[in-house]
DNA sequence: GCGGCTGGTGCAAACGATTGTAGCCCCTTT
DNA sequence: AAAGGGGCTACAATCGTTTGCACCAGCCGC
């Protein structure tokens, strides 16, 4: 089953390959006689012709493929993001080249993609000050950041509204009567870390509450637990903790228990992201819910708009919601 | 920053492009004078030359890319699998083209990949009787199945040893004194459904226990819960349930509670796969643990072996382990 | 009746690499 | 001294498309 080439179609339709090419091509179809177009299309259909993206790419330097860089594919966050991107692009015929910046360094990941002439790039791996992103902004294919963004760079980003998200969590806790509210922040190198921290700080100022913050060295359970332990020791009067993400929140659970106190009744805890099964841990964790699949789809949409030369917003903020569960209810545990 | 082409290197080194090509190419390097090789390599280095995979692919019809088809990227199973594949291939310079067979049909997903001349294919989407896989076996690029396999087809597969996995679960339950053991099976269309069911049936025969099985219509919580409810009503004497996967197991949790009984003390439950956070649900679920990242890496390895023309096993069975947790301990809940 | 325009098609040169073959030079051998 | 051969390099075709340009016939207008 050898590949059917444009030449085959042209021969079958008894025209020159250039004519066949024009007939097949939406944009140039107008210049060839309708009758000829019909004949070519029929033969192409009959033979099952499918244009070779490689050959076309060589000539046009467009590959109908876009590259995406994910920092850590094992993180359950990124599955839905990739799914959203893939679905958003598939409709327009784009394929997805994926690289994880764990197996390469980020710049190698990007280079391996640009080497392959991707038409666009979606990065989920951006850090706050990211030389790779800066270079891409100057020269490189159209790029969209997703989930995280980079400061002082003119590249569109599709991210969650962290300020709103933190406000949802804090307001909920305040409503439940808490005034000594702590925050376990994520790493400062990522916008999701620093933005949530700043949002929290701003709200505490507004409410006139004391600022009780500890930074975790990573967005995982372990760092969350140690940071929370520090905070709980330093400020035993705390009654609620806003965690920078779900895993840190689970770390907080652990620290709270180590301190001989109870999650929910003694100390309310909120997570962020609302990953799967967070409603099944004990107690079910209240969390800011981010629609990651939608975020991916939106990023695809923005990138497609750029590729079509439409203008598009430089930043898209997605509104999170709050999933209230028992970790912030005083009732039982 | 225009692309540095082979011609640029050739000019700089004052040789013909064909000579430059041979000098750059490991395999053909021998035929060109060492001194010339040195000069070409130096210029290539200096100019930052990177061969264009597109152009090379057109000529050699090898693209150094492999395609992977995932049924559902949002399923937390597949993140680690993809991560493993990606890491395994990256070392050899291969890139990963990923498509989800949710946005296309499976055959479209495969076709979009073969159109792009992928050198190989890894399918996580195979069903027991899968026409797409059968077609691929006859004519198509080298293909490896991962996680699931297709019957009566000569394509290597890297899968977990479901028979061993189920045995680990059942033996553990028997050891704990259970004799009335039920099974909630997954869909029969997938090898992971039918194989676990058959393994379970075989063990019950061997032990001489009664066969208590209900099939769930899907690998999710809902179908698991309804199937488990049926089983519990039909056979109230049951004291343990082996679920075909974790989510079905969580469905079993729900059904057990709806029946007014307790998971762990009244009814022991085991899951399968051991997804993240399964140790944090209440009670922590005993589960057969499958190393999905390793499975992905192994699939990559097998595919690379085929691409290098080494012979490779037709089926690779990965040994699961059992993570024992409180859902099978009678002690507390 | 001739020049020019226009609609339709073919020609050929790209895109950037790989690779079979031809050719050159120089050395060896008879 | 001529022929042969080995080492090295250049030439040119090729992969499948796209696309600027030339070409040609027919038609219109003057």
């Amino acid at each position: 089953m050898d590949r059917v080439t444009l030449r085959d179609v042209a021969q079958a339709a008894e025209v020159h390959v250039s004519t066949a090419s024009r007939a097949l091509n939406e944009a140039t179809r107008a210049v060839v006689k309708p009758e000829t177009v019909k004949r070519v299309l029929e033969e192409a259909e009959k033979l099952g012709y499918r244009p070779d993206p490689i050959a076309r790419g060589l000539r046009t330097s467009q590959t109908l493929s876009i590259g995406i860089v994910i920092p850590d594919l094992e993180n359950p966050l990124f599955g839905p993001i990739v799914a959203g991107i893939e679905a958003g692009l598939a409709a327009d015929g784009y394929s997805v080249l994926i690289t994880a910046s764990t197996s390469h360094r980020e710049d190698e990941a990007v280079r391996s993609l640009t080497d392959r002439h991707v038409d666009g790039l979606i990065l989920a791996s951006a850090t706050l000050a990211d030389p790779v992103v800066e270079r891409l902004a100057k020269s490189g294919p159209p790029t969209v950041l997703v989930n995280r963004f980079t400061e002082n760079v003119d590249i569109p980003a599709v991210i969650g509204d962290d300020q709103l998200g933190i406000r949802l969590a804090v307001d909920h806790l305040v409503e439940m009567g808490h005034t000594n509210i702590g925050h376990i922040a994520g790493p400062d190198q990522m916008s999701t870390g620093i933005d949530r921290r700043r949002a929290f700080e701003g709200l505490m100022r507004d409410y006139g509450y004391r600022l009780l913050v500890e930074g975790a060295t990573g967005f995982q359970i372990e760092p969350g637990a140690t940071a929370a332990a520090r905070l709980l020791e330093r400020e035993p009067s705390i009654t609620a903790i806003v965690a920078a993400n779900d895993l840190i929140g689970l770390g907080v659970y652990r620290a709270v228990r180590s301190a001989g106190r109870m999650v929910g009744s003694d100390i309310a805890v909120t997570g962020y992201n609302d990953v799967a099964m967070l409603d099944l841990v004990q107690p079910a964790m209240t969390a800011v819910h981010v629609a990651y699949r939608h975020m991916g789809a939106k990023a695809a949409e923005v990138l497609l708009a750029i590729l079509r030369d439409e203008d598009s917003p430089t930043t898209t903020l997605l509104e999170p919601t709050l999933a209230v569960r028992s970790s912030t209810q005083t009732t039982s545990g």
Side-chain angles (χ1 to χ4, degrees), chain A residues 31 34 49 51 68 83 86 100 161 190 192 200 217 226 286 314 326-327:
Chain A
V31 310
Y49 169 72
I68 98 182
E86 212 270 343
D161 187 341
M190 294 159 196
T192 45
F200 182 84
T217 55
T226 61
T286 294
T314 169
S326 28
S327 72

Side-chain angles (χ1 to χ4, degrees), chain A residues 48-68:
Chain A
Y49 169 72
R50 322 200 86 216
D52 185 333
I54 301 282
R56 170 182 291 164
L58 181 59
R59 180 61 221 255
T60 61
S61 54
Q62 296 212 13
T63 51
L64 278 182
S65 68
I66 73 104
I68 98 182

Side-chain angles (χ1 to χ4, degrees), chain A residues 7 11 53 61 92 122-123 134 169 187 195 207 269 286 319 321:
Chain A
R7 171 143 68 217
Q11 273 173 2
S61 54
D92 277 43
I122 296 182
L123 303 187
E134 287 167 18
D195 278 8
Y207 276 116
V269 177
T286 294
E319 288 199 7
T321 54

Side-chain angles (χ1 to χ4, degrees), chain A residues 290-308:
Chain A
V290 182
Y292 280 108
R293 185 177 220 280
H294 181 233
M295 184 180 282
K298 193 77 193 170
E301 193 182 302
V302 169
L303 183 56
L304 286 176
I306 298 176
L307 290 175
R308 279 194 293 262

Side-chain angles (χ1 to χ4, degrees), chain A residues 37-320:
Chain A
V37 171
K38 182 155 165 290
R39 196 151 29 98
V40 172
L41 289 182
E42 279 174 3
E43 290 299 336
E45 171 73 15
K46 198 195 301 176
L47 297 176
Y49 169 72
R50 322 200 86 216
D52 185 333
I54 301 282
R56 170 182 291 164
L58 181 59
R59 180 61 221 255
T60 61
S61 54
Q62 296 212 13
T63 51
L64 278 182
S65 68
I66 73 104
I68 98 182
V69 180
I70 299 289
D72 174 16
L73 271 167
E74 298 192 60
N75 187 325
L77 235 63
F78 295 115
I81 293 188
V82 174
I85 295 177
E86 212 270 343
L89 292 174
D92 277 43
Y94 281 87
S95 289
V96 170
L97 264 163
I98 194 168
T99 65
S101 53
T102 36
S103 37
H104 325 264
R105 297 193 329 272
E106 190 189 11
D107 64 336
E108 280 182 39
V110 167
R111 193 185 308 268
S112 109
L113 292 173
T114 51
D115 274 358
R116 288 188 145 72
H117 290 111
V118 292
D119 297 340
L121 228 37
I122 296 182
L123 303 187
S125 59
T127 56
L128 254 196
D130 194 321
V132 176
V133 175
E134 287 167 18
R135 180 153 23 96
L136 243 24
K138 287 210 197 72
S139 81
T143 302
V144 172
L145 307 181
V146 67
N147 189 42
R148 305 183 198 156
F149 75 98
T150 298
E151 281 181 331
N152 305 321
V153 152
D154 188 30
I155 286 192
V158 177
I159 53 180
D161 187 341
D162 284 347
Q163 195 164 354
L164 172 56
I166 292 294
R167 180 142 51 83
L168 290 174
V170 168
D171 282 359
H172 168 65
L173 291 170
V174 169
E175 230 166 75
M176 303 296 289
H178 296 278
T179 55
N180 278 348
I181 307 175
H183 177 53
I184 307 297
D188 280 352
Q189 295 80 31
M190 294 159 196
S191 59
T192 45
I194 193 82
D195 278 8
R196 289 170 197 174
R197 177 199 281 261
R198 284 181 188 149
F200 182 84
E201 292 172 353
L203 286 165
M204 290 302 107
R205 258 196 305 278
D206 293 353
Y207 276 116
Y209 295 163
R210 281 202 305 149
L211 197 55
L212 309 169
V213 178
E214 279 286 336
T217 55
F219 277 119
Q220 294 92 38
I221 293 184
E222 276 308 331
T226 61
R230 277 203 307 275
L231 186 60
L232 287 170
E233 192 178 8
R234 179 157 71 85
E235 299 288 347
S237 58
I238 278 187
T239 63
I241 293 182
V242 173
N245 85 335
D246 297 330
L247 291 177
I248 290 180
L250 291 169
V252 174
Y253 272 34
R254 191 187 293 175
V256 167
R257 284 165 182 153
S258 296
R261 307 173 71 176
M262 276 190 72
V263 176
S265 45
D266 292 343
I267 306 228
V269 177
T270 67
Y272 205 115
N273 288 348
D274 196 20
V275 299
M277 294 178 59
L278 204 63
D279 52 331
L280 297 170
V281 303
Q282 208 56 255
M285 191 186 290
T286 294
V288 177
H289 179 86
V290 182
Y292 280 108
R293 185 177 220 280
H294 181 233
M295 184 180 282
K298 193 77 193 170
E301 193 182 302
V302 169
L303 183 56
L304 286 176
I306 298 176
L307 290 175
R308 279 194 293 262
D309 259 341
E310 303 164 10
D311 46 27
S312 53
T314 169
T315 293
T316 307
L317 280 183
L318 264 36
E319 288 199 7

